[in-house]
Short mmCIF file of all heavy atoms in Angstrom, two decimals:
data_model
loop_
_atom_site.label_atom_id
_atom_site.label_comp_id
_atom_site.label_asym_id
_atom_site.label_seq_id
_atom_site.Cartn_x
_atom_site.Cartn_y
_atom_site.Cartn_z
N ALA A 845 109.16 64.66 65.44
CA ALA A 845 108.19 63.73 66.05
C ALA A 845 108.27 62.42 65.26
O ALA A 845 107.33 61.99 64.63
CB ALA A 845 106.79 64.30 66.01
N ASP A 846 109.45 61.78 65.35
CA ASP A 846 109.72 60.54 64.61
C ASP A 846 108.67 59.47 64.95
O ASP A 846 108.37 59.25 66.13
CB ASP A 846 111.13 60.06 65.03
CG ASP A 846 111.66 58.96 64.14
OD1 ASP A 846 110.89 58.03 63.84
OD2 ASP A 846 112.84 59.04 63.75
N TRP A 847 108.14 58.78 63.94
CA TRP A 847 107.13 57.74 64.19
C TRP A 847 107.63 56.67 65.14
O TRP A 847 106.86 56.04 65.86
CB TRP A 847 106.63 57.11 62.87
CG TRP A 847 107.71 56.53 61.99
CD1 TRP A 847 108.29 57.11 60.91
CD2 TRP A 847 108.35 55.24 62.12
NE1 TRP A 847 109.24 56.29 60.37
CE2 TRP A 847 109.30 55.13 61.08
CE3 TRP A 847 108.20 54.16 63.01
CZ2 TRP A 847 110.10 54.00 60.90
CZ3 TRP A 847 108.99 53.03 62.84
CH2 TRP A 847 109.94 52.96 61.80
N LYS A 848 108.98 56.44 65.13
CA LYS A 848 109.53 55.39 66.00
C LYS A 848 109.26 55.68 67.47
O LYS A 848 109.24 54.79 68.29
CB LYS A 848 111.06 55.27 65.79
CG LYS A 848 111.45 54.62 64.46
CD LYS A 848 112.92 54.25 64.42
CE LYS A 848 113.83 55.45 64.19
NZ LYS A 848 113.52 56.21 62.96
N PHE A 849 109.05 56.98 67.79
CA PHE A 849 108.82 57.35 69.18
C PHE A 849 107.41 57.88 69.41
O PHE A 849 107.09 58.41 70.45
CB PHE A 849 109.87 58.39 69.62
CG PHE A 849 111.28 57.88 69.46
CD1 PHE A 849 112.03 58.24 68.34
CD2 PHE A 849 111.83 57.01 70.38
CE1 PHE A 849 113.32 57.75 68.17
CE2 PHE A 849 113.12 56.52 70.21
CZ PHE A 849 113.86 56.88 69.10
N HIS A 850 106.55 57.72 68.37
CA HIS A 850 105.17 58.18 68.50
C HIS A 850 104.18 57.11 68.05
O HIS A 850 103.26 57.37 67.27
CB HIS A 850 104.95 59.48 67.71
CG HIS A 850 105.60 60.66 68.35
ND1 HIS A 850 106.94 60.93 68.20
CD2 HIS A 850 105.13 61.59 69.23
CE1 HIS A 850 107.25 62.01 68.92
NE2 HIS A 850 106.18 62.42 69.55
N GLY A 851 104.43 55.89 68.52
CA GLY A 851 103.51 54.78 68.25
C GLY A 851 103.31 54.50 66.77
O GLY A 851 102.27 54.01 66.37
N GLY A 852 104.31 54.81 65.94
CA GLY A 852 104.22 54.50 64.52
C GLY A 852 103.46 55.54 63.70
O GLY A 852 103.29 55.39 62.49
N ASP A 853 103.01 56.60 64.33
CA ASP A 853 102.22 57.61 63.62
C ASP A 853 103.12 58.55 62.80
O ASP A 853 103.88 59.34 63.35
CB ASP A 853 101.41 58.42 64.64
CG ASP A 853 100.40 59.36 63.98
OD1 ASP A 853 100.53 59.63 62.77
OD2 ASP A 853 99.48 59.82 64.68
N GLU A 854 103.01 58.47 61.47
CA GLU A 854 103.87 59.28 60.58
C GLU A 854 103.34 60.69 60.34
O GLU A 854 104.02 61.51 59.75
CB GLU A 854 104.02 58.58 59.23
CG GLU A 854 104.81 57.29 59.31
CD GLU A 854 104.82 56.54 57.98
OE1 GLU A 854 104.59 57.17 56.94
OE2 GLU A 854 105.06 55.32 58.02
N SER A 855 102.11 60.95 60.78
CA SER A 855 101.54 62.27 60.47
C SER A 855 101.92 63.32 61.52
O SER A 855 101.76 64.53 61.29
CB SER A 855 100.01 62.18 60.39
OG SER A 855 99.48 61.91 61.67
N VAL A 856 102.44 62.86 62.66
CA VAL A 856 102.75 63.80 63.74
C VAL A 856 103.90 64.74 63.34
O VAL A 856 103.84 65.94 63.58
CB VAL A 856 103.10 63.06 65.06
CG1 VAL A 856 103.31 64.06 66.20
CG2 VAL A 856 102.00 62.09 65.43
N GLY A 857 104.95 64.18 62.72
CA GLY A 857 106.13 64.97 62.36
C GLY A 857 105.81 66.19 61.52
O GLY A 857 106.13 67.33 61.91
N PRO A 858 105.18 66.01 60.35
CA PRO A 858 104.87 67.18 59.51
C PRO A 858 103.96 68.19 60.22
O PRO A 858 104.13 69.40 60.07
CB PRO A 858 104.14 66.56 58.30
CG PRO A 858 104.60 65.14 58.27
CD PRO A 858 104.86 64.74 59.69
N ARG A 859 103.02 67.68 61.01
CA ARG A 859 102.09 68.60 61.70
C ARG A 859 102.84 69.45 62.72
O ARG A 859 102.71 70.68 62.73
CB ARG A 859 100.98 67.79 62.39
CG ARG A 859 99.96 68.67 63.09
CD ARG A 859 98.71 67.91 63.52
NE ARG A 859 98.99 66.73 64.33
CZ ARG A 859 99.39 66.77 65.61
NH1 ARG A 859 99.57 67.93 66.21
NH2 ARG A 859 99.62 65.65 66.28
N VAL A 860 103.66 68.78 63.56
CA VAL A 860 104.40 69.52 64.59
C VAL A 860 105.40 70.49 63.95
O VAL A 860 105.54 71.64 64.38
CB VAL A 860 105.11 68.55 65.56
CG1 VAL A 860 106.01 69.31 66.53
CG2 VAL A 860 104.09 67.71 66.32
N ALA A 861 106.06 70.05 62.88
CA ALA A 861 107.01 70.92 62.18
C ALA A 861 106.28 72.17 61.68
O ALA A 861 106.77 73.30 61.83
CB ALA A 861 107.65 70.18 61.02
N GLY A 862 105.10 71.98 61.11
CA GLY A 862 104.30 73.10 60.59
C GLY A 862 103.93 74.07 61.70
O GLY A 862 104.00 75.29 61.52
N GLU A 863 103.54 73.52 62.85
CA GLU A 863 103.14 74.38 63.98
C GLU A 863 104.31 75.25 64.46
O GLU A 863 104.16 76.44 64.70
CB GLU A 863 102.62 73.52 65.13
CG GLU A 863 101.23 72.94 64.86
CD GLU A 863 100.86 71.82 65.83
OE1 GLU A 863 101.61 71.55 66.79
OE2 GLU A 863 99.80 71.19 65.60
N ILE A 864 105.48 74.61 64.60
CA ILE A 864 106.65 75.35 65.09
C ILE A 864 107.04 76.45 64.11
O ILE A 864 107.26 77.60 64.49
CB ILE A 864 107.85 74.39 65.32
CG1 ILE A 864 107.53 73.42 66.46
CG2 ILE A 864 109.13 75.18 65.62
CD1 ILE A 864 108.56 72.33 66.64
N LEU A 865 107.11 76.08 62.83
CA LEU A 865 107.55 77.06 61.83
C LEU A 865 106.55 78.21 61.70
O LEU A 865 106.95 79.37 61.57
CB LEU A 865 107.78 76.37 60.48
CG LEU A 865 108.90 75.32 60.47
CD1 LEU A 865 108.97 74.63 59.13
CD2 LEU A 865 110.25 75.94 60.82
N ALA A 866 105.26 77.89 61.78
CA ALA A 866 104.23 78.94 61.70
C ALA A 866 104.36 79.88 62.89
O ALA A 866 104.24 81.11 62.76
CB ALA A 866 102.84 78.32 61.64
N ALA A 867 104.64 79.32 64.08
CA ALA A 867 104.79 80.14 65.29
C ALA A 867 105.96 81.11 65.15
O ALA A 867 105.99 82.15 65.79
CB ALA A 867 104.97 79.24 66.51
N HIS A 868 106.93 80.75 64.31
CA HIS A 868 108.09 81.63 64.11
C HIS A 868 107.91 82.52 62.88
O HIS A 868 108.85 83.18 62.44
CB HIS A 868 109.37 80.80 63.97
CG HIS A 868 109.83 80.24 65.28
ND1 HIS A 868 110.54 80.97 66.19
CD2 HIS A 868 109.66 79.02 65.84
CE1 HIS A 868 110.80 80.22 67.26
NE2 HIS A 868 110.27 79.03 67.08
N GLY A 869 106.71 82.48 62.29
CA GLY A 869 106.42 83.37 61.18
C GLY A 869 107.05 83.00 59.85
O GLY A 869 107.20 83.85 58.97
N VAL A 870 107.39 81.72 59.69
CA VAL A 870 107.97 81.27 58.41
C VAL A 870 106.89 81.28 57.33
O VAL A 870 105.73 80.96 57.60
CB VAL A 870 108.59 79.86 58.57
CG1 VAL A 870 109.08 79.30 57.23
CG2 VAL A 870 109.73 79.90 59.59
N ASP A 871 107.27 81.63 56.11
CA ASP A 871 106.36 81.65 54.94
C ASP A 871 105.63 80.33 54.76
O ASP A 871 106.26 79.28 54.79
CB ASP A 871 107.21 81.80 53.67
CG ASP A 871 107.20 83.20 53.16
OD1 ASP A 871 106.91 84.09 53.96
OD2 ASP A 871 107.49 83.35 51.96
N PRO A 872 104.31 80.39 54.48
CA PRO A 872 103.55 79.15 54.26
C PRO A 872 104.17 78.28 53.16
O PRO A 872 104.17 77.05 53.26
CB PRO A 872 102.17 79.64 53.84
CG PRO A 872 102.06 81.00 54.44
CD PRO A 872 103.45 81.57 54.46
N ASP A 873 104.69 78.91 52.14
CA ASP A 873 105.30 78.17 51.02
C ASP A 873 106.54 77.38 51.49
O ASP A 873 106.73 76.22 51.15
CB ASP A 873 105.68 79.17 49.92
CG ASP A 873 106.60 78.57 48.89
OD1 ASP A 873 106.19 77.56 48.27
OD2 ASP A 873 107.73 79.07 48.71
N VAL A 874 107.35 78.02 52.31
CA VAL A 874 108.53 77.35 52.86
C VAL A 874 108.10 76.24 53.81
O VAL A 874 108.65 75.14 53.79
CB VAL A 874 109.47 78.37 53.57
CG1 VAL A 874 110.58 77.66 54.34
CG2 VAL A 874 110.05 79.35 52.56
#
Side-chain angles (χ1 to χ4, degrees):
D846 192 316
W847 56 261
K848 288 192 283 303
F849 302 98
H850 288 81
D853 188 343
E854 292 174 22
S855 68
V856 184
R859 182 168 53 73
V860 173
E863 286 166 6
I864 294 172
L865 296 176
H868 286 279
V870 175
D871 259 22
D873 166 59
V874 171

